[in-house]
Amino acid sequence: CIAAQKKWPKSEGALECLGIKEEIERKSVRITLDSDLVPGERNIAKLNFRNVNTIYLKLVEATGRMDRGKDEITLMSELNQSSTVAEWSMRVDDPGDFMEHSAFADITPVMQGCYYLLASTGPYFNSGDCIAYEYLECNGIRFLNMVQNNGTLYGRAVDTRSGKPIPDCKYTVWKTNYNDELVKVATSGITGSDGYILVEGLANSRYRIELE
């Protein structure tokens, strides 16, 4: 590819090779958390990365979800202006094989509230960097054993510290796209005395549940 690009730099094949090369060398980072934050305790986020040696992280306060109906530039501008709770960087082991790898990041203990965790390939979290973000709630509530099958979603809202069911807990089921972005509310309700949640009649799609 590189040899062809040098020999015929303006050919269609050379341009395609250039696109392939840029995609292979492109930096990327993603954030994954199994659950929302537990108040006052150490929490861990999984970071998937490619072609990166250092990941820059920032935890900012939020009044609620800020990423609905906004373009990436507007959202990043607002998040960068939000109050920063913690900011740090971590070295990661990238062997230079152009493959995706993973590492785990400790998140500083926080009190109850709403937050965004940002991970960037650059220290300034600007438009030239690859930036991933994840909305997090810290309220001590977790949706346990979520199972979705044949249009039915069920599970239980539990206290993350005691493991006990939470009665009268408000829940919202969101339909999401393939990037796990919220699209629209599918349904909402309140748990029973046993913290149990049962939603039936869902169309074949992707969903996320939020508890409060």
Side-chain angles (χ1 to χ4, degrees):
C1 233
I2 297 175
Q5 186 182 342
K6 289 180 178 179
K7 191 171 183 178
W8 301 286
K10 296 183 179 180
S11 67
E12 183 177 345
L15 294 176
E16 290 180 358
C17 285
L18 179 61
I20 293 172
K21 180 176 180 291
E22 290 177 346
E23 177 60 27
I24 291 173
E25 295 177 347
R26 183 175 58 86
K27 296 180 178 180
S28 68
V29 61
R30 295 186 294 112
I31 303 170
T32 305
L33 279 92
D34 291 333
S35 63
D36 285 331
L37 303 179
V38 179
E41 295 188 10
R42 173 176 173 262
N43 295 275
I44 297 177
K46 182 180 179 182
L47 304 174
N48 291 83
F49 60 91
R50 189 179 68 167
N51 301 329
V52 176
N53 295 115
T54 302
I55 299 176
Y56 301 87
L57 298 121
K58 180 161 61 173
L59 187 67
V60 301
E61 292 182 341
T63 55
R65 293 205 72 103
M66 299 167 60
D67 53 306
R68 293 171 182 162
K70 295 178 182 176
D71 61 75
E72 202 78 7
I73 294 176
T74 301
L75 175 62
M76 286 302 110
S77 176
E78 292 182 1
L79 291 177
N80 277 324
Q81 294 176 38
S82 300
S83 178
T84 300
V85 177
E87 189 168 356
W88 70 105
S89 64
M90 59 180 288
R91 296 282 297 177
V92 292
D93 183 18
D94 178 30
D97 58 0
F98 306 109
M99 303 293 289
E100 188 174 75
H101 300 276
S102 62
F104 293 91
D106 287 333
I107 304 174
T108 186
V110 293
M111 301 309 293
Q112 290 191 356
C114 301
Y115 303 88
Y116 273 87
L117 177 64
L118 286 75
S120 173
T121 57
Y124 303 112
F125 297 84
N126 59 33
S127 58
D129 303 319
C130 175
I131 304 175
Y133 62 86
E134 187 74 18
Y135 172 69
L136 301 169
E137 292 183 351
C138 185
N139 53 17
I141 304 173
R142 183 178 182 185
F143 188 45
L144 187 65
N145 295 334
M146 183 172 105
V147 178
Q148 184 181 326
N149 186 31
N150 297 326
T152 300
L153 183 151
Y154 60 93
R156 179 171 278 118
V158 300
D159 186 292
T160 52
R161 287 178 171 170
S162 67
K164 295 181 178 179
I166 301 177
D168 302 320
C169 177
K170 182 181 177 180
Y171 65 85
T172 303
V173 179
W174 285 86
K175 183 178 180 180
T176 66
N177 60 22
Y178 284 98
N179 292 322
D180 204 31
E181 298 169 333
L182 304 184
V183 177
K184 66 178 181 180
V185 174
T187 187
S188 61
I190 297 176
T191 63
S193 59
D194 56 359
Y196 193 67
I197 297 172
L198 174 63
V199 179
E200 297 178 297
L202 293 172
N204 184 25
S205 186
R206 300 165 65 93
Y207 296 93
R208 181 196 295 182
I209 190 164
E210 290 185 350
L211 305 175
E212 56 184 275

